[in-house]
Amino acid sequence: MIESILPGAVTAVDTFVDPPGADLFPEEEAVVRKAVDKRRREFTTARWCARQAMRRIGIAPAPVLPGTRGEPQWPFGMVGSITHCAGYRAAVLAEQEKVTTVGIDAEPNDALANGVLEAVSLAEERDRIAVLLRDHPGVAWDRLLFSAKESVYKAWFPLTARWLDFEDANIVIDPLNGTFTAALLVTGPWVHGRRLSGFSGRWLAQQGLVVTAITVLAPVAPKTRPNGRLAAHR
C-alpha cells in the first residue's frame, strides 16, 4: 500500500498481519526481551519488513537497532524508515546515493483524542483542519496532520541528529492531490548545497489508515564522456 506514495528509488514492504516465524537477530532480541507482547510484535514485524526490503535491494539481512532517539540504524550506505500501528507495519529502504532521507508514518483513520490536536499543532493548522473536516468528510484530517508531523521528524532527524518539536513545522495539506508541504520554522541543515527550509510529502487514506511519506531524492550526478568531459544534453 505505502509504495503508492513513494518514488521508485525507495523499496517498501508492508503487512497487515504479523507473519508467523518472523524472528530477530540476537542484538534485536535484547532490545525487546522485557517488552510487552504488543511492543514485541510491532518491533519484530517491522524488522521482518526491513529485511524483506534488504533482500529486494540485494543486500544481506542485518540487524536494525534503535539509536539514541529510537531511530532505526540502517546498514552502511542505506537510508530508511519504519512505522507501525494497530494492524499495520511497514519499512522502507533506499540506497543513500539515490535518496538523501525518507520518513513514513501510518495511523488509524480516526480522530485524535480530546486535547491532542492542540498539543501537536499550530493555531493556523487547526484552522485549516477545521475547514478540511467541514468540506472533506471521511478523512480524519487531525490524525493525518499528526502523521505528517511524524514523517517530517523521521525525515529531519537523520539529517540533523536534532529533536524537532511539533510546533517547529507548519503543515499544509492538499485534500485533492494527496500531497502536503511542511515549512520548517527552525533553521534547517544544509542539504545539496542549500539550506533546507521544508519538506514536501504525499498521503493516502485507505483500508482504515492514514499514511504519509516524505522522500528527499539525492541529486543526479552529471554524466561524463569517457575522456572525463561532461556530456552535452541534446
Side-chain angles (χ1 to χ4, degrees):
M1 181 175 73
I2 199 170
E3 70 275 1
S4 66
I5 56 172
L6 290 160
V10 178
T11 298
V13 176
D14 58 4
T15 178
F16 291 88
V17 298
D18 294 319
D23 54 13
L24 298 171
F25 282 91
E27 308 97 305
E28 295 169 328
E29 179 69 40
V31 175
V32 291
R33 183 171 292 126
K34 298 181 180 180
V36 298
D37 181 65
K38 177 178 179 292
R39 163 64 174 157
R40 182 182 182 84
R41 287 188 288 107
E42 290 173 343
F43 185 93
T44 301
T45 302
R47 267 66 192 172
W48 178 86
C49 290
R51 281 189 267 286
Q52 302 310 305
M54 292 177 195
R55 291 188 178 96
R56 292 182 187 181
I57 290 176
I59 64 174
V64 182
L65 298 174
T68 56
R69 295 278 190 176
E71 76 283 2
Q73 299 180 93
W74 301 101
F76 179 78
M78 309 301 294
V79 298
S81 186
I82 282 173
T83 188
H84 47 73
C85 65
Y88 183 75
R89 293 82 162 88
V92 300
L93 193 63
E95 297 171 272
Q96 201 165 27
E97 65 180 17
K98 298 178 181 178
V99 174
T100 301
T101 191
V102 60
I104 63 169
D105 187 72
E107 303 285 338
N109 189 9
D110 293 319
L112 292 170
N114 288 339
V116 175
L117 180 61
E118 289 73 16
V120 301
S121 63
L122 303 165
E124 54 264 45
E125 291 175 323
R126 293 193 291 275
D127 290 342
R128 291 193 291 267
I129 291 299
V131 174
L132 289 170
L133 289 170
R134 182 195 69 200
D135 294 346
H136 302 277
V139 175
W141 297 106
D142 55 348
R143 183 80 70 161
L144 180 56
L145 175 70
F146 175 82
S147 178
K149 297 230 175 190
E150 289 289 302
S151 285
V152 166
Y153 177 73
K154 292 177 181 181
W156 159 275
F157 190 82
L159 301 175
T160 64
R162 301 201 316 265
W163 186 256
L164 188 73
D165 286 328
F166 286 112
E167 64 268 23
D168 291 336
N170 189 345
I171 290 177
V172 178
I173 300 168
D174 184 330
L176 301 180
N177 295 310
T179 61
F180 65 91
T181 58
L184 292 172
L185 305 181
V186 294
T187 302
W190 287 91
V191 177
H192 307 324
R194 64 179 63 184
R195 182 76 70 181
L196 183 71
S197 60
F199 296 98
S200 59
R202 300 179 65 192
W203 66 268
L204 62 82
Q206 199 173 99
Q207 299 192 50
L209 301 171
V210 290
V211 183
T212 57
I214 290 170
T215 308
V216 178
L217 295 173
V220 177
K223 296 180 180 180
T224 58
R225 297 184 184 278
N227 62 7
R229 294 178 181 175
L230 291 177
H233 293 281
R234 299 182 180 179

